[in-house]
């Protein structure tokens, strides 16, 4: 799941595809130069025809950092709310 999410984000933001996808597209383009737009069940866009490069390690680190920061912030806020709500519930319902 994370891999497909990462791949779709890379494709949307940077036009970067997976190595397997790039190899399949290159084979389709080289085998069917005239018919490349309808190769297989997927259509090949003009961006793909120009070639898709693999992401660099720096791009992957930047993407991971930009994706992780909101998750960490949400985790802290969620924990704060749950602790506060749990304490309030214990003080009202849990009183013996």
């Amino acid at each position: 799941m994370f891999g497909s999410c990462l791949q779709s984000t890379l494709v949307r933001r940077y036009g970067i595809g997976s190595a397997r996808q790039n190899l399949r597209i290159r084979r389709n383009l080289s085998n069917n130069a005239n018919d490349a737009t309808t190769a297989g069940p997927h259509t090949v866009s003009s961006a793909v025809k120009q070639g898709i490069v693999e992401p660099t390690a720096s791009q992957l680190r930047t993407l991971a950092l930009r994706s992780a920061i909101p998750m960490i912030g949400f985790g802290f806020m969620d924990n704060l709310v749950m602790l506060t709500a749990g304490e309030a519930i214990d003080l009202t319902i849990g009183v013996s």
Side-chain angles (χ1 to χ4, degrees):
M1 183 174 140
F2 178 73
S4 65
C5 179
L6 175 65
Q7 181 179 357
S8 65
T9 302
L10 287 172
V11 169
R12 268 189 282 118
R13 288 192 182 170
Y14 307 109
I16 299 170
S18 68
R20 186 179 298 143
Q21 181 185 19
N22 287 343
L23 183 60
R24 184 177 55 229
I25 291 169
R26 284 189 195 123
R27 284 181 185 158
N28 287 341
L29 288 176
S30 65
N31 290 342
N32 306 328
N34 297 331
D35 230 353
T37 56
T38 58
H42 307 288
T43 59
V44 180
S45 68
S46 61
V48 172
K49 287 180 185 178
Q50 294 173 1
I52 299 175
V53 296
E54 284 294 313
T56 63
S58 174
Q59 287 174 327
L60 290 174
R61 277 192 297 273
T62 302
L63 179 65
L65 183 64
R66 290 180 71 183
S67 300
I69 289 173
M71 296 298 171
I72 293 170
F74 173 78
F76 279 117
M77 291 305 297
D78 181 54
N79 196 21
L80 175 71
V81 169
M82 291 299 163
L83 287 175
T84 306
E87 191 67 29
I89 290 169
D90 282 344
L91 292 176
T92 56
I93 298 174
V95 176
S96 328

